[in-house]
Amino acid sequence: MEIKLPRVKVEVREDEGFSLGKLSPALIVGFGAHWAWVYLTMFNGQQLFFWNAADPAVPAGLFHPVSLVFFVMTLLSYGVLSRAYRRLFATQRRRARLRFIGATLGFAGTLFMCLADVGSAAGIAALAAGGATTGIGSAILLMSYGVSFGQCDIATIVTSTALSLVAGIALYTAVSNLDLLHPLGALAAALIPFLECWCLYRCSTVLVDKLEFAAITLKVRKTPFALRLCAPSLLFGFALGAVRTQAIADMHLVGGLGTQVVCIGAAALTACAPMIAVMLTQRQHINFMFRPLLPLIAIALVAVYFIADATPFTTFALLLCYLLFEGTMWVSYADITQRFRLTSFVVFGFGRGALALGALIGMTASFAIPALDSATNPANTLIIVFACIIFGFGALPRGSELRALIVGESDNPAGEMLRGRERAESPEKARAGRFKRKCELVANRYLLSKKETEVLFLLAKGRNAAYIQEQLYISEGTARTHMRHIYKKLDIHTQQELMDLVEGSEEEVA
């Protein structure tokens, strides 16, 4: 008797894999410290630090708009003059020097604000000077974070952003509830930029300084790119400014320190969960954070504006909206920088600059037009915020639109000066430079991301996943995922094929 067993075909598909990678505690703490300092000075300083005049409301209000104006101007100048700024950031020493300058300006601006006697003309001038130095210093430090975030994987970008929100809110709560009228309390706030400077130095050593292609990005048609990125950023900035103003105002009306800590902590921790959940499920697509999180923000805003008084619930909901909004925008700019291998100066300069400009326009409009004041006309504010969110989402650039604006050639003004110097110094450096440019050509041809370009370079040198993991400060699972993505984009299957492809690439020698 013959028994035939059915054939069972088992198909094993290669998993795309996912690994969170390594997180930089210095980047998380530093970025959180930056937002804490911004909350304490630019957004909230006139309420926390002024004690030198009986009625400082009018002159004290000068600090916030002045700092915001200089913040916007500095960020937009990064985008317009990106090639000049990139030369300033060309070396590790120059980057460290600029970070220190930014921290010093932030420190000086905070002291100007604390010490200014707003009852005198000299005090008002000092207040304006403090706003200017604070705005410029904040922009310099923020761009430094943009450069570091732009070198990370999307999973690291989202997770670091979410955790930095918690760190920032915690530091803000701690410092704002000190006796800020005492010199030691004010000094604690003023020294935060130097904490940032140290954190930036620590994270930059592993995320930027030792990378081969950190400064080599793709050229983009700047004017249409800026218009495409600035349109939604302006609209979102208008909405974000309104939410932020109301959230900070309610935070000091909700009750005692214990209630504030609970509301703020709950909002920060709650904001982390949806951000990480969205990243785990939809990270493959550009603008992936907006579609699920904007409806959540809208629902929370509706709930808030139907309650007239400031309660723990309204404070929690407003802070949650603000943190999700702020985190979503930051992740969006970092994702564009990483995904399309663009310079952080153009993306964060135009994007964050337009976002801050939208907030500045919204703040000016609320003062000039009483119908737009959220305190007296919350319904009007809600309608405008919703309109900005809807039209801003519709104006978001799609991936195909951004790819059409990429020229496909490398843009590295600092590297152009170094190439001739390397060839003149030694044949070994010249050969290393030619090999690096071959990898650069392959990366340009197939539009590899920033991290994929770094992995490509090490693979072409014959390195394995364990070495790549250690060199690029990522987990081995992340390294293998990047390898699979590179093989798929290049339509190859082995490391040897990749090495042959790079070796056979045509090199353009100037």
Side-chain angles (χ1 to χ4, degrees):
M1 183 177 177
E2 184 179 357
I3 300 177
K4 291 185 178 181
L5 297 176
R7 285 187 178 180
V8 178
K9 182 179 179 181
V10 179
E11 182 179 359
V12 179
R13 295 185 178 182
E14 183 181 28
D15 184 16
E16 282 295 309
F18 174 73
S19 178
L20 193 58
K22 295 181 180 178
L23 298 176
S24 171
L27 181 64
I28 295 170
V29 173
F31 195 47
H34 179 76
W35 289 122
W37 175 69
V38 168
Y39 301 150
L40 289 165
T41 55
M42 292 177 62
F43 298 159
N44 211 22
Q46 62 267 29
Q47 296 179 9
L48 294 176
F49 292 99
F50 287 104
W51 67 91
N52 291 332
D55 185 17
V58 175
L62 178 69
F63 184 86
H64 186 189
V66 169
S67 63
L68 202 53
V69 166
F70 278 87
F71 180 74
V72 170
M73 291 171 58
T74 305
L75 283 178
L76 292 179
S77 73
Y78 273 110
V80 175
L81 305 173
S82 59
R83 289 180 66 83
Y85 276 112
R86 291 177 69 186
R87 290 187 178 95
L88 294 177
F89 279 79
T91 64
Q92 181 179 358
R93 180 175 295 181
R94 290 182 181 182
R95 288 191 290 270
R97 184 187 305 147
L98 282 173
R99 290 193 293 263
F100 183 77
I101 291 173
T104 303
L105 289 174
F107 172 79
T110 307
L111 289 186
F112 271 129
M113 181 185 60
C114 295
L115 301 177
D117 184 354
V118 294
S120 66
I124 296 175
L127 200 63
T133 55
T134 299
I136 297 172
S138 177
I140 293 174
L141 292 172
L142 189 69
M143 186 56 67
S144 297
Y145 289 111
V147 171
S148 293
F149 269 92
Q151 307 299 331
C152 298
D153 300 285
I154 186 59
T156 305
I157 290 170
V158 175
T159 308
S160 298
T161 301
L163 294 177
S164 70
L165 295 176
V166 179
I169 286 294
L171 183 58
Y172 171 78
T173 305
V175 177
S176 64
N177 283 283
L178 292 174
D179 184 5
L180 293 178
L181 303 186
H182 190 278
L184 291 179
L187 184 62
L191 288 175
I192 290 178
F194 289 110
L195 170 63
E196 296 182 57
C197 192
W198 180 81
C199 289
L200 280 167
Y201 167 77
R202 296 288 297 176
C203 69
S204 183
T205 55
V206 295
L207 297 178
V208 179
D209 296 341
K210 69 176 185 178
L211 298 181
E212 292 288 338
F213 295 88
I216 302 178
T217 57
L218 291 173
K219 290 182 180 179
V220 67
R221 288 186 285 164
K222 190 176 291 186
T223 300
F225 178 84
L227 293 175
R228 200 67 191 86
L229 191 63
C230 287
S233 296
L234 277 170
L235 292 168
F236 285 139
F238 194 101
L240 181 64
V243 174
R244 179 178 62 212
T245 300
Q246 191 63 40
I248 292 177
D250 281 10
M251 189 164 53
H252 295 283
L253 300 175
V254 71
L257 175 60
T259 306
Q260 290 182 29
V261 170
V262 170
C263 293
I264 293 171
L269 292 173
T270 305
C272 285
M275 289 181 64
I276 295 176
V278 171
M279 178 268 296
L280 291 172
T281 57
Q282 303 185 39
R283 65 187 181 276
Q284 296 87 355
H285 310 289
I286 189 174
N287 300 324
F288 64 96
M289 298 286 288
F290 289 97
R291 189 179 299 275
L293 293 187
L294 287 183
L296 179 61
I297 293 171
I299 292 171
L301 286 176
V302 169
V304 167
Y305 280 102
F306 275 110
I307 302 175
D309 299 326
T311 66
F313 172 76
T314 59
T315 301
F316 163 79
L318 280 169
L319 282 171
L320 177 62
C321 291
Y322 169 62
L323 294 174
L324 286 176
F325 217 149
E326 190 77 72
T328 298
M329 296 306 302
W330 184 261
V331 169
S332 175
Y333 300 135
D335 185 29
I336 291 174
T337 303
Q338 165 64 224
R339 191 184 297 262
F340 299 105
R341 199 151 56 90
L342 302 178
T343 172
S344 298
F345 298 109
V346 170
V347 179
F348 284 94
F350 286 126
R352 287 296 307 187
L355 191 73
L357 179 60
L360 179 62
I361 293 172
M363 183 179 67
T364 304
S366 66
F367 283 122
I369 306 174
L372 299 181
D373 189 351
S374 60
T376 57
N377 296 282
N380 292 349
T381 304
L382 178 63
I383 294 172
I384 294 174
V385 167
F386 274 6
C388 289
I389 290 176
I390 293 170
F391 287 108
F393 180 75
L396 284 172
R398 306 299 186 259
S400 57
E401 295 172 337
L402 293 178
R403 290 188 189 93
L405 299 177
I406 296 175
V407 176
E409 300 176 0
S410 291
D411 183 20
N412 182 20
E416 292 169 2
M417 299 184 296
L418 297 175
R419 286 177 182 175
R421 192 182 305 168
E422 287 179 355
R423 284 194 289 266
E425 286 179 350
S426 68
E428 291 78 10
K429 286 190 175 182
R431 284 194 295 271
R434 284 194 295 270
F435 175 74
K436 183 177 179 180
R437 288 193 291 279
K438 286 183 179 182
C439 295
E440 181 182 329
L441 288 173
V442 173
N444 294 349
R445 186 178 303 133
Y446 295 95
L447 294 182
L448 300 185
S449 70
K450 284 190 174 184
K451 194 61 71 176
E452 288 169 353
T453 303
E454 297 288 347
V455 174
L456 168 75
F457 176 72
L458 296 176
L459 282 174
K461 294 175 72 173
R463 306 299 188 183
N464 59 18
Y467 180 89
I468 294 172
Q469 161 200 356
E470 186 66 27
Q471 189 70 15
L472 299 185
Y473 198 71
I474 57 179
S475 69
E476 188 170 355
T478 301
R480 294 189 183 279
T481 299
H482 284 308
M483 291 166 60
R484 286 194 291 271
H485 291 168
I486 292 170
Y487 291 164
K488 184 177 180 180
K489 288 184 178 182
L490 273 58
D491 194 20
I492 57 177
H493 302 89
T494 65
Q495 187 174 8
Q496 185 59 50
E497 288 183 72
L498 182 145
M499 295 167 69
D500 293 340
L501 180 63
V502 170
E503 186 60 32
S505 64
E506 295 293 333
E507 182 181 10
E508 300 172 1
V509 181

